[in-house]
Amino acid sequence: MSDRPDLGRGPTLRDVALRSGVAVSTASRALTRPGRVGAQTEARVRAVAEELGYVPSASARALTSGRTRTVALVVPDTANPLFFGMVRGVQSRLRDAGFVHVLADTEESVEREEQVMAELRGSVDGVVLAAPRADEASVTAWAEEFPVVTVNRDVPGPRVLIDTAGGVVHALQHLASLGHRRVAYAGGPRRSWSDRQRREALIAAAGGLDVELVVTGPYVPRREGGPAAADATLLHGCSAVIAFNDLLAFGILDRFAERGTTVPDEVSVVGCDDIFGTDLVRPGLTTVAVPVERAGAAAADLLLRRLAAGARGGARVVELPTHLVVRGSTGSVPR
Amino acid sequence: MSDRPDLGRGPTLRDVALRSGVAVSTASRALTRPGRVGAQTEARVRAVAEELGYVPSASARALTSGRTRTVALVVPDTANPLFFGMVRGVQSRLRDAGFVHVLADTEESVEREEQVMAELRGSVDGVVLAAPRADEASVTAWAEEFPVVTVNRDVPGPRVLIDTAGGVVHALQHLASLGHRRVAYAGGPRRSWSDRQRREALIAAAGGLDVELVVTGPYVPRREGGPAAADATLLHGCSAVIAFNDLLAFGILDRFAERGTTVPDEVSVVGCDDIFGTDLVRPGLTTVAVPVERAGAAAADLLLRRLAAGARGGARVVELPTHLVVRGSTGSVPR
DNA sequence: TTGTACGCGTTATCAA
DNA sequence: TTGATAACGCGTACAA
């Protein structure tokens, strides 16, 4: 039935103008600037647009305005439930502001990250860059070239930082108060800023708490990394382990169950992030709750502000606190 | 330091051409059609482009080519882990084909869905529409206007269908073989095609298996919906319940644990989807495994093929099988 | 092989 | 209030 070759995506403003008997400029105004045009002209144009099923071309708009009203969210691993909360946070804010968002996965690879950032520069107004793995120099360079807000990476420019360092210290205090004197930290990716923060904070805090901290790893921050971390914990004679993240902690719990090592009676386990599933396991996982959705929303806000203000948005920093969620996986030291 | 007002996004092709001492068209060819230009000219242009950090404008490209190289994935609820896998499946295929993808959440609302689809028409080449909630008429209309591939909705046009109906029947057979004679189906959203498929398949199969099927619900397909479903199961004297999805099943397990009703000794529970977490709960959740990532990939393939072939892509249908994963939440009928 | 000129759909500027 | 016209950045006929 349709005589157009399908890919010519619908009627254009010109069609609407023609059919309304007005000029394209008038049609444009009627649709985008209510009030700047004769009342009945506007009504007619709107009616025709509706009738024709007119949808403005985002590309053409972007071309004239210089802005695409699109921002990208770049994460290291879309399979990690941690980032889904972030996606939601970013999305909700963006949607309210009339923006679209694209999602990019860098697969924990620095090369992919650089490639993705380069491509994005030509197609979006800005980027929320979560837990970047690239050099500080690269990240800084990107941020100078176009609007970038980082999450969980302390580089110059607007950024959202989550104080998981403080959170894991609370976890360590919690363990110390339960009598643990030898605690393992099962580390995550070496390129992860978060990992370094957590590790260093734990090392610094251990002395004052009269706790010996044993750093193990790095482990892949997924469930598959857990078994090795569990075994290393026992090998080093630790009575508790703090895992880089919850996925790793799940794997640790798997391995302990498999070995017949009971949690928390024989060993305590603490995770980090409080992702989906922490209250599904038995015992429930004690973990450092990270407000990812808020972080995503905050990052989106920062980016939107930056876009509205041009380069003069300043380099605002939002710091979000964490809190320890105590469930069943931690208990008194075995004796 | 930078003297440009920040939002003029980088150098244009014109800048590259000027600095290379060639015409824009030549620069264009040098960068997009390797070989169609003098070898050293090409080298020079490429070098200059590199030096300037030139990135082509996606908007301008889209305007001339008519294609944005962007497709959208529209899902009812981004918080549902079920869709995580689908996102990954879609994304991996799209990335390989050089496409970008945007994610849209319709929040289980028909209105949002219609709004989103209308907006998308002007900004993407096509859409993967997962589990649409709108009328068949609306979905059909969209599919006629621009390339749409649906997942889990049996409407005309290219589509991916997952045979969860077959899966839940297997689950029912499994329960029947364990001696269950009265089984509840805790239903999902009334507008969900999947729900209807599952419900009707179960009703049809129950007779032949000598099982009485009690349909309860609808419940919100999230963990919060579970408690009511659990109570209804017991109220109706059923010894087993098949939940519309795993999230609902998790909530059902919560409630049974709270009531002190042991699973599977007193009551068996079956979920659907096999999302993240089904092997985290204890006992592990017996569930119908849905190949979401494959579904996403298949949908992306269908869409890419459609885009490559114009309207003549035909309405290919991909049907994906499911399988029953038996874990600890199902057992013999109590006596 | 390379350059010129036009068009894609929209918004902004300037006249009328 | 409305209309004509010039951009925006790129691809691509067509001409040289």
Side-chain angles (χ1 to χ4, degrees), chain B residues 152-233:
Chain B
N152 260 8
R153 180 75 183 256
D154 198 13
V155 291
R159 56 200 183 278
V160 176
L161 298 176
I162 301 176
D163 180 32
T164 42
V168 291
V169 169
H170 284 158
L172 192 60
Q173 291 169 341
H174 167 66
L175 291 172
S177 77
L178 290 169
H180 295 271
R181 289 287 162 265
R182 198 171 163 79
V183 174
Y185 171 64
R190 277 277 174 268
R191 302 205 66 112
S192 161
W193 177 82
S194 299
D195 180 66
R196 196 156 62 83
Q197 293 299 299
R198 293 167 199 181
R199 185 163 19 92
E200 292 179 351
L202 285 173
I203 291 170
L209 292 169
D210 193 23
V211 168
E212 255 187 290
L213 188 81
V214 180
V215 175
T216 64
Y219 303 105
V220 292
R222 295 196 299 269
R223 204 164 166 183
E224 304 89 272
D231 287 349
T233 300

Side-chain angles (χ1 to χ4, degrees), chain A residues 23 25-26 29 37-38 41 64:
Chain A
S25 49
T26 305
R29 281 183 290 243
V37 82
T41 309
T64 48

Side-chain angles (χ1 to χ4, degrees), chain A residues 96-107:
Chain A
D96 294 346
F99 275 69
V100 171
H101 95 274
V102 316
L103 185 61
D105 185 343
T106 62
E107 296 156 7

Side-chain angles (χ1 to χ4, degrees), chain B residues 16 18 23 49 69 94 130 134 140 151 175 208 231 242 254 269 271-272 276 285 291 307 309 314-315:
Chain B
V16 175
L18 234 54
R69 298 197 75 75
L94 252 32
T140 306
V151 177
L175 291 172
D231 287 349
I242 298 177
D254 289 340
V269 178
C272 199
F276 179 87
L285 184 66
L307 292 177

Side-chain angles (χ1 to χ4, degrees), chain A residues 108 133 185-196 199 218-222 244-245 248:
Chain A
E108 300 271 359
R133 303 299 192 224
Y185 171 65
R190 278 277 175 270
R191 302 205 67 111
S192 162
W193 178 82
S194 299
D195 179 67
R196 195 154 63 81
R199 185 161 21 90
Y219 302 104
V220 291
R222 296 194 298 269
F244 167 67
N245 70 6
L248 192 57

